[in-house]
Amino acid sequence: MVRTEDEMSRHPLLEIAQAADPCCKRLFLDYHGLGLLWSWMIDTRSSAKLRFEILNTLAVLPITNKTILKDSKILSVVEKWAKVSNDESTDNKESNETDDSSPGECSVDRTINEKVILEEDEELERNIVTKATELLSSWTGLKEEFRIPKKERIEQMKEHEREANRGYVDPRENLSYDR
């Protein structure tokens, strides 16, 4: 996951993380998955679709305390995304409008397509603000906890790994090689 730098690779990984078993989601958190998500969040090349998928992934992760959100810097980015105002989107709309005075059907079609895309982007931005606000409100009840000593944290990670292995079935065992 760390080496995925393009958005096309990140989307399926987020979908896998969202659909994973609860024990695998805990392992994702144990092995600093929030730090990885943070690096994707601050990537300036991230599209609105990727940001929305990251928020959806954060919504399903079993985050148990506010400390890990602060340590991974996720909390500050989600707060920033929740405070995005509609003024910014209208400023972008005004700066992206094209000149309708140019003759020809091609320019009119292009203008209509650009407006549709712009409206879709604005809707997605509103969804991001809504989802970020929902996440922040769900996290308000979380308590800040002191750091777990390294020895206890390692034992906890081992227990999460054992739990994940208990329910694991190798998909290759179900394949038949009859030809």
Side-chain angles (χ1 to χ4, degrees):
M1 283 184 80
V2 175
R3 295 185 181 186
T4 57
E5 294 183 9
D6 63 308
E7 196 166 317
M8 296 301 292
S9 300
R10 290 177 179 177
H11 279 284
L13 291 172
L14 289 170
E15 290 172 4
I16 290 169
Q18 291 172 21
D21 291 333
C23 51
C24 293
K25 291 175 185 174
R26 282 193 296 273
L27 282 174
F28 180 77
L29 294 175
D30 288 345
Y31 287 101
H32 309 288
L34 290 181
L36 175 68
L37 291 180
W38 173 80
S39 68
W40 291 2
M41 291 169 87
I42 62 164
D43 187 356
T44 57
R45 298 170 294 167
S46 295
S47 71
K49 286 181 183 180
L50 183 66
R51 288 184 287 150
F52 189 68
E53 280 302 312
I54 290 171
L55 291 173
N56 286 333
T57 303
L58 288 170
V60 298
L61 290 176
I63 298 170
T64 57
N65 62 64
K66 201 176 277 190
T67 306
I68 61 174
L69 291 171
K70 286 183 176 182
D71 288 349
S72 64
K73 303 175 190 170
I74 292 280
L75 187 61
S76 61
V77 177
V78 173
E79 287 173 342
K80 180 178 155 186
W81 288 359
K83 293 179 182 176
V84 172
S85 66
N86 289 332
D87 295 338
E88 288 182 15
S89 61
T90 55
D91 289 344
N92 290 338
K93 181 180 177 182
E94 291 170 5
S95 65
N96 289 333
E97 286 184 356
T98 58
D99 184 15
D100 292 337
S101 62
S102 58
E105 291 180 23
C106 182
S107 63
V108 172
D109 288 343
R110 189 183 73 222
T111 305
I112 291 171
N113 288 338
E114 288 173 356
K115 287 181 180 179
V116 168
I117 291 170
L118 193 58
E119 288 173 5
E120 289 172 356
D121 287 346
E122 287 175 5
E123 178 68 24
L124 193 52
E125 287 296 332
R126 283 192 295 273
N127 290 341
I128 288 171
V129 171
T130 303
K131 189 68 169 183
T133 305
E134 289 172 3
L135 271 175
L136 290 174
S137 66
S138 71
W139 291 341
T140 56
L142 296 177
K143 296 180 181 179
E144 290 191 47
E145 295 181 359
F146 294 105
R147 295 184 190 271
I148 300 173
K150 187 174 183 179
K151 187 175 182 179
E152 290 178 32
R153 191 175 74 239
I154 290 172
E155 288 301 317
Q156 184 182 33
M157 289 170 68
K158 286 180 182 178
E159 178 57 35
H160 289 161
E161 288 173 359
R162 282 191 289 272
E163 188 178 325
N165 287 335
R166 276 186 225 130
Y168 178 72
V169 176
D170 190 352
R172 295 174 290 185
E173 292 176 3
N174 297 332
L175 296 176
S176 63
Y177 293 102
D178 298 332
R179 290 189 185 210

